[in-house]
DNA sequence: CTGGTCTCCGGAAACGTTACCAACCGGGTA
DNA sequence: TACCCGGTTGGTAACGTTTCCGGAGACCAG
């Protein structure tokens, strides 16, 4: 019962136009040396038949698929969906199709995604690797010599070029800012510690605290609103044990802020807060929330540029970098100062 | 200089395993009638060579691509990226690949997207049509008889099944709620009026206002924060000319809310506000914002189910629906009552 | 008139896979 | 012995393109 799939082929166009298949092929590829008259005939036939070239057949013959894959933890996450949007634009400009796959930070899904993409013979990869899964990536790289660039997180045993934000400095800067305000009991609410970015941010926080001789207050098991409110309430129970909160993840920032409001803690008079990653309404809410802002657009943009430079430019040799291991491209973050850190709107 | 692209083929696997290509094909397709011993040999060869089937070649032979396309205005938009996430999950469950394309509500990009997807011979489409562009869709439908389902907005001269939210009732309900609170000067800040969803919401607003004998206050040219604040400030200048604001789009809600705060207008004591579409922090902000909540998950889910039912189930005949035109599936919205409409947390 | 260089065109061989068909091999049955 | 049959195999023709190669004219110089 499954017959209908039958689009016109190049042969049918050729027959209808009374020319050979080669000529039709030349026309759809915009090759010159075709008489204007025959060209018109062919174009008419194409239009009349509603012909659309069969991508699979083209790929099978010529070797490029004009397709690149993007592998990210989630499409719904604002950070990665922004990246996807930017990258799709870049791909479009290079007449490429972008295929986005979500891994939910699971190894098996990541493997699946890469596999699927390889079966589709994508010309290149951009991937936000779920940590320490680079073995497979590298083997794929060598085997197929398909260009890969890592986004947001470097690949562990990395010989692949990567573009990341400066998580360490970003977190360090934010923590120092709180310290400069005179806060001493600064708690850090992390996200999943198995993520490279989170670990870097923790390191930055720790470095700043250590440099100021302050005690590190790390909470690594916050995963939803309840646990967040719980942790904060617990700290508040002993007076003077909490000055400020530094949250390392978007959703945690929101949770913590909401918890502080819920617990009727004046922000920032009693407890200040800085979050990592900007979000919608962070500036609208009262008090407006100070955050570390990531250069999302630039991150995606440079990753895309890097990939397409490899794709169009010089051949990808077996040794991608003459220097050995690739230095990752590190992009600066910036502290977006609003009110929740204790600053007045127009004052540092 | 572009040599390297050379993955092992089925032939090479066959040669290495000392069997025919047919046998290898049987193995990778999990067909029975293969002796355990040869199966093992083949599987070993596959592993050793790192063989991955060439999707293009498979497609060229058998006719299904196990690929579906999703065409939406934007990937970065939370509404559509949530849809994409859900749909990708469904596709995965059906062993299909989802390809997402953004149109930015431009006709040309929509045409491009559909074209590209057709060249890739996707098995089916889910599309949020940028209005009144259904001519092409229909022609494609008939020509190629590839299943399409419309998401969020119906196709104009629709013979294609569609899944939409009840924008009319949603807006009507919200407006009535404001009216019930005693507000009389209720302004409606629309989004792009060429979008079906927005027009429906406007209709709902108008219906509710008319039923209560109230004057319609429509603002159709709000497109950013400045114009939003401007419009509100202008209305406030004449005392008693603004009771409440009903915003029809996510970003407009945020802008309007921010403008009211900026203008030091007590919300909801002086001016109430209800927005269309929920968003992060809508419940955290003070006052918490009442919104019309759309059934995003269900929208995507039923669209996906509809598509895959067509794909797997009965053949898609030339006349998709025996009844003629397709009735769209309409999903209920709900009014998420918080504070900005004038309600106290636990009171209607 | 011959030979060479253009321009325009078409035949046919790939590309990597699947599906059809035939073949082989045991062994059970007449 | 002749026959058939079910479980295993392999050869080979497609699928719709692109590309190589060669042919047919047209034109010009020697």
């Amino acid at each position: 019962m499954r017959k209908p799939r039958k689009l016109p082929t190049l042969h049918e166009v050729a027959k209808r136009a009374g020319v050979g298949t080669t000529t039709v092929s030349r026309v759809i590829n915009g090759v010159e040396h075709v008489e204007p008259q025959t060209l018109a005939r062919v174009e008419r036939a194409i239009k009349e038949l509603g012909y659309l070239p069969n991508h699979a057949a083209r790929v099978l013959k010529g070797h490029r698929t004009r397709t690149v894959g993007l592998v990210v933890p989630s499409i719904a996450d604002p950070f990665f969906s922004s990246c996807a949007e930017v990258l799709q634009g870049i791909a479009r400009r290079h007449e490429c199709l972008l295929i986005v796959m979500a891994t939910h930070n699971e190894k098996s899904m990541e493997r699946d995604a890469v596999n699927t993409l390889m079966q589709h013979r994508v010309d290149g990869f951009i991937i936000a690797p779920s940590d320490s899964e680079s073995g497979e990536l590298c083997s794929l790289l060598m085997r197929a010599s398909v260009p890969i660039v890592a986004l947001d997180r470097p690949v562990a045993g990395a010989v692949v070029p990567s573009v990341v934000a400066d998580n360490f400095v970003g977190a360090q800067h934010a923590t120092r800012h709180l310290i400069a305000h005179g806060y001493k009991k600064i708690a850090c609410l992390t996200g999943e510690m198995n993520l490279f970015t989170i670990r870097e941010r923790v390191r930055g926080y720790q470095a700043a605290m250590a440099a100021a001789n302050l005690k590190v207050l790390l909470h690594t098991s916050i995963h939803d609103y309840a646990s967040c409110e719980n942790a904060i309430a617990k700290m508040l129970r002993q007076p003077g044990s909490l000055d400020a909160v530094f949250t390392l993840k978007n959703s945690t920032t929101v949770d913590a802020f909401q918890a502080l409001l819920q617990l009727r803690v004046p922000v920032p008079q009693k407890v200040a807060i800085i979050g990592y990653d900007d979000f919608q309404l962070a500036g609208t809410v009262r008090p407006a929330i100070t955050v570390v802002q990531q250069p999302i657009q630039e991150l995606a943009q440079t990753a895309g540029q890097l990939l397409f430079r490899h794709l169009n430019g010089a051949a990808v040799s077996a040794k991608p970098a003459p220097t050995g291991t690739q230095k990752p491209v590190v992009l600066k973050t910036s502290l977006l100062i609003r009110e929740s850190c204790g600053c007045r709107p127009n004052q540092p």
Side-chain angles (χ1 to χ4, degrees), chain A residues 26 78 91 203:
Chain A
R26 273 192 273 261
R203 275 188 49 230

Side-chain angles (χ1 to χ4, degrees), chain A residues 46-108:
Chain A
I46 288 179
K47 202 144 291 169
E48 287 172 353
L49 259 46
Y51 167 75
L52 282 175
N54 183 323
H55 182 252
R58 300 181 101 163
V59 163
L60 193 54
K61 200 78 235 313
H63 302 149
R64 308 290 289 273
T65 59
R66 305 218 72 88
T67 292
V68 302
L70 171 64
V71 181
V72 292
S74 158
I75 340 182
D77 183 300
F79 179 88
F80 290 113
S81 66
S82 296
C83 287
E85 180 101 352
V86 171
L87 285 169
Q88 189 173 68
I90 296 177
R92 240 181 67 86
R93 228 162 294 135
H94 289 265
E95 302 189 295
C96 272
L97 180 65
L98 183 77
I99 300 185
V100 189
M101 307 235 56
T103 69
H104 299 278
N105 282 321
E106 282 178 35
K107 280 182 115 150
S108 68

Side-chain angles (χ1 to χ4, degrees), chain A residues 257-269:
Chain A
F257 182 64
Q258 183 139 18
L260 289 171
L261 292 186
Q262 195 66 33
L263 297 166
R264 311 256 173 241
V265 180
V267 179
Q269 291 78 12

Side-chain angles (χ1 to χ4, degrees), chain A residues 215-233:
Chain A
K215 181 148 165 260
V216 166
L217 303 170
L218 218 51
H219 292 251
T220 58
S221 53
I222 312 284
H223 50 275
D224 59 1
Y225 177 77
S227 55
C228 183
E229 177 174 328
N230 226 303
I232 292 179

Side-chain angles (χ1 to χ4, degrees), chain A residues 48-348:
Chain A
E48 287 172 353
L49 259 46
Y51 167 75
L52 282 175
N54 183 323
H55 182 252
R58 300 181 101 163
V59 163
L60 193 54
K61 200 78 235 313
H63 302 149
R64 308 290 289 273
T65 59
R66 305 218 72 88
T67 292
V68 302
L70 171 64
V71 181
V72 292
S74 158
I75 340 182
D77 183 300
F79 179 88
F80 290 113
S81 66
S82 296
C83 287
E85 180 101 352
V86 171
L87 285 169
Q88 189 173 68
I90 296 177
R92 240 181 67 86
R93 228 162 294 135
H94 289 265
E95 302 189 295
C96 272
L97 180 65
L98 183 77
I99 300 185
V100 189
M101 307 235 56
T103 69
H104 299 278
N105 282 321
E106 282 178 35
K107 280 182 115 150
S108 68
M109 290 193 90
E110 177 168 291
R111 200 170 16 242
D112 269 17
V114 172
N115 240 289
T116 305
L117 259 12
M118 284 301 291
Q119 290 187 209
H120 281 253
R121 299 295 191 267
V122 292
D123 291 331
F125 270 98
I126 294 180
I127 175 167
S130 85
D131 251 343
S132 71
E133 180 70 349
S134 54
E136 189 167 12
L137 294 181
C138 283
S139 79
L140 277 166
L141 218 196
M142 339 225 67
R143 239 207 306 279
S145 75
V146 27
I148 305 187
V149 3
L151 177 65
D152 188 47
R153 322 158 180 182
V155 175
V159 291
V160 331
S162 49
V163 183
V164 301
D166 198 338
N167 292 282
F168 177 86
V169 171
Q172 190 182 34
H173 192 170
T175 311
R176 279 187 187 152
H177 184 81
L178 287 171
I179 294 172
H181 267 287
Y183 301 113
K184 299 208 181 309
K185 311 287 189 179
I186 306 173
C188 178
L189 310 191
T190 79
E192 295 80 5
M193 284 294 281
N194 55 340
L195 259 41
F196 170 82
T197 49
I198 297 293
R199 287 200 306 270
E200 283 295 295
R201 293 170 198 172
V202 169
R203 275 188 49 230
Y205 159 78
Q206 288 172 324
M209 294 298 274
N213 261 323
L214 292 177
K215 181 148 165 260
V216 166
L217 303 170
L218 218 51
H219 292 251
T220 58
S221 53
I222 312 284
H223 50 275
D224 59 1
Y225 177 77
S227 55
C228 183
E229 177 174 328
N230 226 303
I232 292 179
K234 198 179 203 172
M235 289 189 282
L236 286 170
R237 224 160 283 149
Q238 314 161 27
S241 75
L242 183 64
D243 273 338
V245 176
F246 181 32
T247 51
L248 263 34
K249 212 183 64 176
N250 218 313
S251 57
T252 310
T253 307
V254 175
D255 287 344
F257 182 64
Q258 183 139 18
L260 289 171
L261 292 186
Q262 195 66 33
L263 297 166
R264 311 256 173 241
V265 180
V267 179
Q269 291 78 12
K270 190 148 184 338
V271 175
I273 180 169
I274 293 187
Y276 211 104
D277 214 355
D278 198 12
F279 53 91
Q280 201 192 20
L281 281 190
T284 305
V285 101
R286 283 305 106 120
I289 300 178
T290 296
V291 297
V292 180
Q293 190 181 32
Q294 304 205 68
I296 304 186
Q297 314 284 327
E298 292 90 324
L299 230 37
Q301 230 154 13
T302 54
Q305 282 167 3
L306 229 56
L307 182 65
F308 281 104
R309 193 175 309 150
H310 275 237
L311 246 37
N312 303 325
V316 180
S317 62
K319 302 170 185 174
T323 48
T325 35
Q326 296 253 351
K327 275 264 173 32
V329 178
V330 179
L331 266 39
K332 281 198 193 324
T333 59
S334 56
L335 190 61
L336 199 52
I337 295 179
R338 294 200 263 244
E339 304 166 357
S340 68
C341 55
C343 289
R344 299 247 157 258
N346 283 337
Q347 156 210 331

